[in-house]
């Protein structure tokens, strides 16, 4: 009797599975954000109010700004653990400048202007130092940036003798408390940073070089791309944006605490990048995805707290979200 062959598997099934994975990888974060918003609109009291929107906006802006810099670094195949410490350094330096503790000021507004510029430049210089360690000595990025992760907060504490710096400087605090047409100025600044970085990554030679270096560094070298310079610039931008975020945080709090400013920010930024869809191995990045990822991280925390779940549980949920995001990345890459 002739054997009856089993029906061949449908050739469309693997394609459908692949399409589904690609869809989740591309749009999963946005769908999760929409789901979170819908859940809160249905079950969280007073979610659809300006006060709630303001609270979440002011909490997420610093994460997004730091996350943009982290996205560029990760896109090159690196990582930056020092961003929280750089925030602390910028946050410690700014009050020392505009309060005239470092050098005499001819006019208070001069001190405010310098407090906006010098701390950010200092953080950028330290970010470039991270890139120099990575490219000059071929140190693994996680090890190179661990140097300032440890020493950076110590530098900030030495600068302030470990003391809390409380201040009242409306001109300086505008960056954290000011409003433009009723919208928090830090949110406007966040949108500008996201838009500029997204344009740069998609439309400029430097943006394409970042992705080429992260995708295949050896091929990028053979193609004539200055790999070391590209990496140093990415770390420089990460440091600059960390400095800006540090100023926002101390302006919002009307105080600078070197022990707390930027504490844990490196983890939130990496989480936002991962959840947003940027490959942690480099070569592919999405700035808008990082914005969406940061909003998800913030909304998850807000949702749990608003519904009586302890903050410690939010950390566990955040870790689970990161694991899910990385798993989706691997499935899409396959």
């Amino acid at each position: 009797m002739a054997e009856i062959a089993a029906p061949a598997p449908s050739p469309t099934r693997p394609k459908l599975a692949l399409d589904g994975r690609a869809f989740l990888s591309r749009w999963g974060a946005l769908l999760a954000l929409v789901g979170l918003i819908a859940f809160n609109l249905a079950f969280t009291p007073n979610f659809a109010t300006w006060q709630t929107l303001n609270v979440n906006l002011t909490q997420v802006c610093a994460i997004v700004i730091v996350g943009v810099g982290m996205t560029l670094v990760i896109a090159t195949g690196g990582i930056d653990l020092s961003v929280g410490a750089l925030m602390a350094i910028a946050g410690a330096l700014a009050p020392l400048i505009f309060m005239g503790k470092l050098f005499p000021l001819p006019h208070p507004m001069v001190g405010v202007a310098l407090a906006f510029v010098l701390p950010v430049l200092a953080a950028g210089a330290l970010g470039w130092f991270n890139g120099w360690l990575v490219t000059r000595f071929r140190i693994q990025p996680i090890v190179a940036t661990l140097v300032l992760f440890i020493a950076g907060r110590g530098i900030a504490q030495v600068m302030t003798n470990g003391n809390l710096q409380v201040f009242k400087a409306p001109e300086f605090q505008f960056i954290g408390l000011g409003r433009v047409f009723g919208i928090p100025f830090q949110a406007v600044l966040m949108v500008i940073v996201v838009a500029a970085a997204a344009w740069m990554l998609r439309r400029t030679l430097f943006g394409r070089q970042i992705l080429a270096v992260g995708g295949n560094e050896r091929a990028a070298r053979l193609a004539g791309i200055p790999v070391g310079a590209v990496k140093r610039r990415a770390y420089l931008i990460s440091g600059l944006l960390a400095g800006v975020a540090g100023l926002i945080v101390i302006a919002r709090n009307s105080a600078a605490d070197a022990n707390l400013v930027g504490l844990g920010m490196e983890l939130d930024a990496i989480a936002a990048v991962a959840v947003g869809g940027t490959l942690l191995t480099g070569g592919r990045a999405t700035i808008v995805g990082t914005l969406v990822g940061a909003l998800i991280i913030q909304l998850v925390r807000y949702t749990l707290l608003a519904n009586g779940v302890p903050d410690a549980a939010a950390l566990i949920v955040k870790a689970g979200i990161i694991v899910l995001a990385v798993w989706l990345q691997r499935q899409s890459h396959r």
Side-chain angles (χ1 to χ4, degrees):
M1 181 182 294
E3 294 184 358
I4 301 175
S10 172
T12 60
R13 289 181 183 176
K15 184 177 184 302
L16 289 174
L18 182 61
D19 289 344
R21 292 170 184 171
F23 178 83
L24 284 177
S25 176
R26 185 175 180 84
W27 301 106
L30 185 60
L31 291 175
L33 179 60
V34 172
L36 271 172
I37 293 174
F39 176 87
N40 280 287
L41 287 173
F43 299 106
T44 304
N46 303 317
F47 178 75
T49 62
W50 172 248
Q51 182 179 4
T52 299
L53 176 62
N54 182 68
V55 167
N56 283 294
L57 267 181
T58 54
Q59 291 294 323
V60 82
C61 286
I63 299 175
V64 173
I65 291 173
V66 175
V68 167
M70 186 70 74
T71 302
L72 300 181
V73 169
I74 288 177
T76 67
I79 197 81
D80 190 353
L81 298 181
S82 70
V83 288
L86 297 186
M87 287 177 63
I89 290 175
L93 183 58
L96 295 177
I97 293 173
F98 68 70
M99 289 193 294
K101 294 183 178 181
L102 285 184
F103 45 78
L105 300 171
H107 190 276
M109 287 305 298
V110 174
V112 171
L114 292 176
F116 281 130
V117 175
L118 295 183
V120 174
L121 292 179
L126 291 172
W128 184 90
F129 173 75
N130 284 331
W132 179 75
L133 288 179
V134 171
T135 57
R136 177 66 178 83
F137 298 103
R138 302 295 179 92
I139 302 174
Q140 289 292 330
I142 195 170
V143 176
T145 58
L146 190 64
V147 173
L148 280 176
F149 172 83
I150 297 171
R153 194 166 299 277
I155 293 171
Q157 291 168 340
V158 169
M159 290 166 58
T160 61
N161 293 320
N163 297 324
L164 177 69
Q165 299 184 92
V166 180
F167 53 83
K168 185 177 181 181
E171 296 83 1
F172 175 81
Q173 290 175 267
F174 183 82
I175 193 174
L177 298 175
R179 294 180 178 275
V180 178
F181 301 110
I183 301 173
F185 177 72
Q186 59 178 301
V188 175
L189 187 59
M190 174 190 72
V191 171
I192 293 172
V193 168
V194 169
W199 175 83
M200 182 272 295
L201 197 60
R202 292 177 61 88
R203 301 295 182 183
T204 68
L205 175 62
F206 176 57
R208 292 192 290 272
Q209 288 176 336
I210 284 177
L211 298 179
V213 169
N216 190 324
E217 182 175 326
R218 185 165 180 265
R221 289 185 188 277
L222 293 175
I225 295 175
V227 172
V230 170
K231 288 186 176 183
R232 288 191 292 271
R233 289 174 200 160
Y235 282 97
L236 167 65
I237 294 172
S238 180
L240 291 171
L241 293 179
V244 172
L247 300 188
I248 289 174
V249 170
I250 67 166
R252 188 175 66 215
N253 296 334
S254 302
D257 187 347
N259 302 300
L260 296 178
V261 172
L263 189 64
M265 181 59 74
E266 59 281 336
L267 302 180
D268 284 339
I270 294 171
V273 173
V275 172
T278 293
L279 283 178
L280 296 182
T281 53
R284 190 180 77 188
T286 165
I287 299 295
V288 175
T290 296
L291 169 64
V292 173
L295 290 172
I296 290 174
I297 296 298
Q298 172 58 30
L299 271 183
V300 164
R301 183 170 182 269
Y302 172 84
T303 302
L304 294 175
L305 292 177
N307 288 277
V309 179
D311 194 34
L315 298 176
I316 299 173
V317 174
K318 186 190 301 184
I321 292 173
I322 296 171
V323 171
L324 177 61
V326 173
W327 180 80
L328 288 174
Q329 285 186 10
R330 289 180 61 85
Q331 295 301 313
S332 175
H333 185 65
R334 288 176 180 175

